[in-house]
Amino acid sequence: MVLQRNNVNVFGNGVRTMMFAHGFGCDQHMWDPVARNFADDFRVVLFDQVGSGRSDLTSYDSAKYSTLDGYADDIVEIGEALGLTDAVFVGHSVSAMIGALATRKAPGLFSDLVMVGPSPRYIDDEGYVGGFSRAQIDELLDFLADNHLGWSAAMAPAIMGNADRPELGEALTNSFCNTDPDIAREFARVTFLSDNRADLPGITARTLILQCREDIIAPPCVGEYVHAQVPNSRFVLLDATGHCPNLSAPDEVTAAIRAFV
Amino acid sequence: MKSPQQSAPLSESVPTEDLADLYENAPCGYLSLSPHGRIVKVNTTLANWLDTPAERLLNRTIHELLSVGGRIAYETHLAPLLRMQGFVFEIALDLVQRDGRKVPVLANATERRDDSGHHIFTRLTLFKAVDRRTYERSLLEARIRAETVAKAEQETAALREQFIAVLGHDLRNPLAALAAGVRMLTEREALSERGIRVAKEMGSTVARASALVDNLLDFARGRLGEGLTLSRESEVPIEPILEQVVAEIQAVHPERAIITEFAIEGPIACDPARIGQLAANLLSNAVTHGAADAPIRVQAFTKDAHFVFSVANGGDPIPLAARERLFQPFARGDVRKSQNGLGLGLFIVSEIARAHGGTVGVKSSDEETRFTFTMPLEHE
């Protein structure tokens, strides 16, 4: 059930497991260019957060997913369903924080945590630069209201549960990133309004922080803040720009993860 | 001289399109970005929209042209989509002019890659969409308003049904007291002949009021999502129950002829109280709506693994238009003047039938109007 709910895909030949989590915006395809590089010596796990990609939208529950804990609980459930021990968790953007919460909830599942473009809080606070104001986040919510990225209620049945019929998916423009607009708004809200700064010092997993240059979502000062707060952490500044080095510089990201594990 | 009919080529020559001018002054904005999202080329049209000379836009990032919401969305949605599928069409963005004013546009974007698949440029075509976006926003607002209204109506309806449930429940006690009082009067007090008649009429009126309240409560429960609950018993001798229902109705309406015909084999798995309620509803329906001079025929039998119960009365047939809505709650009135009740009786009948895995139907002609309840003997 859990594996269907989160559209979990497992492949690769390793003993140790590496699990990749996509952030706000698109789905597990974000990790394809990196994940495939680990298939020879890791068991690779990809999944969609509930509400994104081809997850089971009927499992979406506004109350559960109104905090990142709801998403972290899912990671723990997937980890337990797959019988993971001492696996590597690689999370992009908000899923870096979700993964951090999951390692705290179930310490045995993941021994290593890779945070790509993490931010514990996006909105500026006293003595803290997150990069955004509340009004700017509201602007993002407006953008989402104006852009359904190919989503329409009529298409929903085709998007959901047709993983075995890819020709249906291919017909859908923007199918990697289309989401029910209501869910997208709620995911944006929980992503950009969360404050998980207090959770950082309690992270016990070995942690790698991958930071891009010119990342407007998670600027370098935020990555440095995370590095300072997470006890057992390493910080690597990538040459890549933007917020999605897993897509724009997959080789660099692969090399950094390899050097860490 | 050629005649006009021969459609001579116009004397003016067709101008050659000036491609450089087409780029610069096209009726849309052109923008080319480096793989790192920096502006490498922009046309005059777009520069004018942004109220900034083209050369001052070069080497700036796309983010600087976008509102903050657009920037986040660009990084979280558009850039990944461009990488994964190579294009993104029909994205609504707000460009920001030098003075902070916004220009709503629709954007298409594609990635230009070289032969080895290397990303060279991201190209964007932008169309001003002021009116369209205003229109879309007003549609969206209308939808949100409609949803708000619908939600409020649902809440009102739920509240109303809760009110019905509470009211029905509260009415039961005074009715029970009234029934007990009437019973005491008729059984223990020495009344005049007239007094006895009045007390009996009061008794039947109270009984009818109680039945209406029961229907009301069942309706409200059904609407409140609890559905009709059955306390099913495996072996119910059903004939005595039906006989009792007939006797009760007959007692209240001694002037009406009720002919029964029962051929029931063995006990039946059902909720006896509910089946009694179903029979009473159908029978009082026949008494109320049937012709007074025609007998009411009550049939009950088992056949082909089914239990069948039907009640027929004479009188005018039910018009076709009314038949369709007969089993809906509050279906009464506009076609045939209802003399009695809220129009919940048949709705409750159909709910009881459904809960038993059965059906209820009606046939109505000049000869008779017959309601038939059928349920399978084997419950799945």
Side-chain angles (χ1 to χ4, degrees):
Chain A
M1 287 314 295
V2 171
L3 302 185
Q4 275 175 346
R5 179 189 68 193
N6 285 93
N7 186 25
V8 176
N9 283 306
V10 183
F11 57 92
N13 304 313
V15 177
R16 200 175 176 201
T17 299
M18 191 179 288
M19 181 166 164
F20 293 89
H22 71 86
F24 167 72
C26 296
D27 66 10
Q28 59 181 278
H29 289 93
M30 296 274 284
W31 278 114
D32 284 347
V34 172
R36 69 167 80 103
N37 300 330
F38 289 94
D40 284 343
D41 49 351
F42 279 88
R43 178 162 76 135
V44 174
V45 177
L46 293 175
F47 73 98
D48 291 332
Q49 302 281 15
V50 170
S52 303
R54 289 170 192 229
S55 63
D56 175 8
L57 295 193
T58 60
S59 301
Y60 186 81
D61 170 358
S62 293
K64 174 180 174 183
Y65 296 109
S66 66
T67 67
L68 295 185
D69 276 302
Y71 290 98
D73 288 339
D74 285 359
I75 308 275
V76 172
E77 283 173 23
I78 297 168
E80 284 168 352
L82 295 173
L84 302 188
T85 44
D86 295 338
V88 184
F89 184 92
V90 184
H92 176 232
S93 197
V94 67
S95 285
M97 277 316 308
I98 292 170
L101 296 178
T103 63
R104 295 193 53 176
K105 280 173 189 280
L109 292 181
F110 303 102
S111 57
D112 294 41
L113 174 65
V114 180
M115 303 175 93
V116 183
S119 173
R121 179 184 163 108
Y122 292 90
I123 295 179
D124 298 337
D125 193 17
E126 220 180 304
Y128 173 82
V129 178
F132 298 98
S133 70
R134 175 66 203 247
Q136 291 174 324
I137 298 305
D138 288 338
E139 251 191 74
L140 166 71
L141 298 178
D142 284 345
F143 173 91
L144 292 171
D146 288 346
N147 285 281
H148 292 181
L149 291 164
W151 171 273
S152 72
M155 282 297 199
I159 297 163
M160 289 182 285
N162 274 305
D164 51 334
R165 295 177 64 194
E167 73 278 6
L168 277 180
E170 276 163 14
L172 299 170
T173 312
N174 306 335
S175 65
F176 303 116
C177 296
N178 59 11
T179 326
D180 178 323
D182 295 333
I183 295 179
R185 278 178 78 84
E186 291 183 8
F187 195 15
R189 197 169 280 132
V190 63
T191 296
F192 289 103
L193 299 182
S194 289
D195 184 352
N196 295 96
R197 288 176 292 176
D199 294 304
L200 296 176
I203 298 174
T204 52
R206 284 179 72 233
T207 302
L208 170 67
I209 296 150
L210 294 184
Q211 175 68 49
C212 288
R213 300 168 202 277
E214 295 184 32
D215 182 349
I216 62 147
I217 308 279
C221 63
V222 173
E224 281 157 17
Y225 175 89
V226 175
H227 175 45
Q229 296 290 314
V230 178
N232 188 8
S233 67
R234 276 191 234 172
F235 180 85
V236 172
L237 184 64
L238 302 172
D239 276 332
T241 56
H243 185 57
C244 302
N246 36 353
L247 287 169
S248 62
D251 293 342
E252 197 184 4
V253 171
T254 302
I257 296 175
R258 275 227 176 275
F260 175 67
V261 298
Chain B
M1 282 289 285
K2 291 174 180 173
S3 68
Q5 282 85 357
Q6 284 175 302
S7 69
L10 292 171
S11 55
E12 57 182 322
S13 60
V14 178
T16 341
E17 180 55 288
D18 176 348
L19 292 184
D21 180 68
L22 172 62
Y23 178 84
E24 287 301 336
N25 298 305
C28 61
Y30 287 127
L31 187 63
S32 302
L33 305 174
S34 74
H36 288 300
R38 291 192 177 272
I39 298 169
V40 293
K41 199 165 166 63
V42 54
N43 74 346
T44 310
T45 305
L46 183 56
N48 288 343
W49 289 351
L50 291 167
D51 197 21
T52 311
E55 60 274 13
R56 295 220 354 228
L57 290 167
L58 294 182
N59 210 32
R60 286 167 62 179
T61 67
I62 173 78
H63 303 129
E64 294 173 63
L65 307 187
L66 298 173
S67 66
V68 176
R71 263 181 235 170
I72 301 176
Y74 187 89
E75 286 299 320
T76 55
H77 289 79
L78 308 195
L81 267 176
L82 273 168
R83 281 272 84 195
M84 288 189 283
Q85 65 185 18
F87 64 89
V88 189
F89 290 161
E90 292 184 64
I91 301 300
L93 292 171
D94 286 334
L95 301 181
V96 181
Q97 286 184 334
R98 227 170 5 163
D99 59 3
R101 276 186 301 167
K102 287 179 180 171
V103 185
V105 295
L106 276 180
N108 287 351
T110 54
E111 276 193 357
R112 179 79 172 105
R113 303 185 193 187
D114 64 17
D115 292 341
S116 56
H118 216 77
H119 181 196
I120 319 172
F121 295 123
T122 301
R123 290 171 172 165
L124 287 98
T125 312
L126 305 141
F127 297 87
K128 251 192 190 180
V130 182
D131 290 346
R132 175 169 293 266
R133 292 278 296 285
T134 309
Y135 174 64
E136 284 172 359
R137 284 232 169 99
S138 54
L139 276 183
L140 200 70
E141 278 160 17
R143 200 193 75 182
I144 291 167
R145 264 199 310 279
E147 282 171 356
T148 313
V149 170
K151 201 170 160 228
E153 274 171 4
Q154 273 169 10
E155 280 165 4
T156 312
L159 206 66
R160 196 166 49 225
E161 276 144 16
Q162 255 161 10
F163 171 75
I164 292 174
V166 170
L167 175 71
H169 195 263
D170 287 355
L171 281 175
R172 271 183 160 173
N173 290 334
L175 279 175
L178 209 53
V182 169
R183 210 161 42 239
M184 208 181 75
L185 278 182
T186 47
E187 286 170 10
R188 302 213 187 135
E189 297 294 315
L191 297 176
S192 67
E193 208 168 291
R194 191 168 163 214
I196 292 170
R197 207 180 64 235
V198 172
K200 276 194 171 164
E201 274 171 18
M202 283 173 70
S204 73
T205 307
V206 169
R208 214 172 67 216
S210 300
L212 287 174
V213 166
D214 286 347
N215 283 346
L216 206 57
L217 273 174
D218 284 336
F219 163 76
R221 278 197 206 105
R223 282 292 160 130
L224 290 172
E226 293 169 40
L228 207 76
T229 48
L230 292 187
S231 3
R232 200 185 280 271
E233 291 171 23
S234 58
E235 297 203 339
V236 178
I238 212 155
E239 208 168 307
I241 294 171
L242 299 177
E243 274 166 357
Q244 195 197 333
V245 169
V246 172
E248 278 170 12
I249 301 261
Q250 185 77 77
V252 180
H253 303 279
E255 76 287 356
R256 300 296 291 268
I258 302 177
I259 302 166
T260 57
E261 192 184 325
F262 295 153
I264 305 162
E265 274 179 34
I268 286 171
C270 65
D271 179 335
R274 289 298 188 188
I275 293 296
Q277 191 185 5
L278 176 146
N281 278 0
L282 287 181
L283 209 52
S284 54
N285 212 43
V287 170
T288 310
H289 298 292
D293 55 354
I296 293 165
R297 293 172 192 281
V298 180
Q299 276 192 335
F301 56 88
T302 44
K303 192 185 175 190
D304 299 336
H306 281 75
F307 169 65
V308 180
F309 173 77
S310 71
V311 178
N313 59 262
D316 294 335
I318 304 170
L320 217 56
R323 258 179 253 176
E324 288 171 7
R325 298 194 302 113
L326 223 40
F327 297 99
Q328 302 291 320
F330 306 117
R332 52 168 284 203
D334 47 3
V335 184
R336 172 192 289 225
K337 204 171 91 189
S338 174
Q339 294 148 349
N340 165 351
L342 284 167
L344 287 174
L346 288 176
F347 170 68
I348 304 292
V349 165
S350 71
E351 290 293 296
I352 293 173
R354 204 159 55 101
H356 281 88
T359 55
V360 61
V362 61
K363 279 188 178 154
S364 191
S365 66
D366 287 335
E367 284 90 59
E368 65 168 25
T369 293
R370 181 180 292 268
F371 286 88
T372 305
F373 161 63
T374 310
M375 67 169 270
L377 294 178
E378 291 289 321
H379 179 62
E380 284 154 23

